[in-house]
Amino acid sequence: MSLITFRIKENAKKCEECAVLKMRNRIDHNSVLSEESELLASGILKLTCAACKYGEDFKKVYGVMPYEKYQGIS
């Protein structure tokens, strides 16, 4: 298990406040295109998490990447 410092915890909090994650969670589930928009938003979220410098710190704290932890949350 890796050492979790104050900086790593702060970076994990920044990851929770990600605009892409919030956008994915605000999808209207009553829409005709909700399933397609959820797939698109999930793909965008995975790409941004892979490129984000805070994703690995989030994984150190919570054990999973943000898109895995918040999967299916509306």
Side-chain angles (χ1 to χ4, degrees):
M1 182 172 182
S2 63
L3 178 65
I4 297 175
T5 63
F6 178 74
R7 183 188 62 80
I8 290 174
K9 287 181 183 179
E10 289 298 311
N11 288 344
K13 285 182 187 177
K14 290 177 187 175
C15 200
E16 288 180 342
E17 298 168 359
C18 178
V20 178
L21 181 63
K22 289 180 181 178
M23 181 242 358
R24 179 184 170 268
N25 292 337
R26 296 181 124 208
I27 293 174
D28 182 15
H29 297 284
N30 298 325
S31 173
V32 175
L33 299 175
S34 67
E35 187 175 323
E36 289 82 4
S37 57
E38 281 187 46
L39 287 172
L40 179 65
S42 294
I44 292 171
L45 184 62
K46 285 181 182 181
L47 287 172
T48 55
C49 284
C52 182
K53 62 183 177 182
Y54 304 124
E56 288 302 317
D57 288 342
F58 188 91
K59 188 173 182 177
K60 286 179 186 176
V61 173
Y62 295 104
V64 293
M65 291 298 282
Y67 56 85
E68 295 168 339
K69 182 174 182 186
Y70 298 112
Q71 183 176 353
I73 296 176
S74 302

